[in-house]
Amino acid sequence: AAAGGVRLAYTSNDEANAPMLAVNARLGYRPVAAQWSCLRELT
């Protein structure tokens, strides 16, 4: 991908998923933002 000009890669994980966050950290990913999702059921 880098040879083709790709310069950034993103991933996302649940903050409670420590094993996957550790894998991402080992691969060089770093936190860049926080996100909240909200849901409301309409009746």
Side-chain angles (χ1 to χ4, degrees), residues 20-39:
M20 194 63 227
L21 293 173
V23 169
N24 286 338
R26 186 171 182 147
L27 292 173
Y29 287 92
R30 59 185 172 80
V32 294
Q35 179 178 344
W36 287 89
S37 297
C38 300
L39 173 70

Side-chain angles (χ1 to χ4, degrees), residues 4-21:
V6 177
R7 297 291 173 240
L8 296 172
Y10 288 91
T11 186
S12 62
N13 300 104
D14 187 288
E15 67 179 343
N17 190 347
M20 194 63 227
L21 293 173

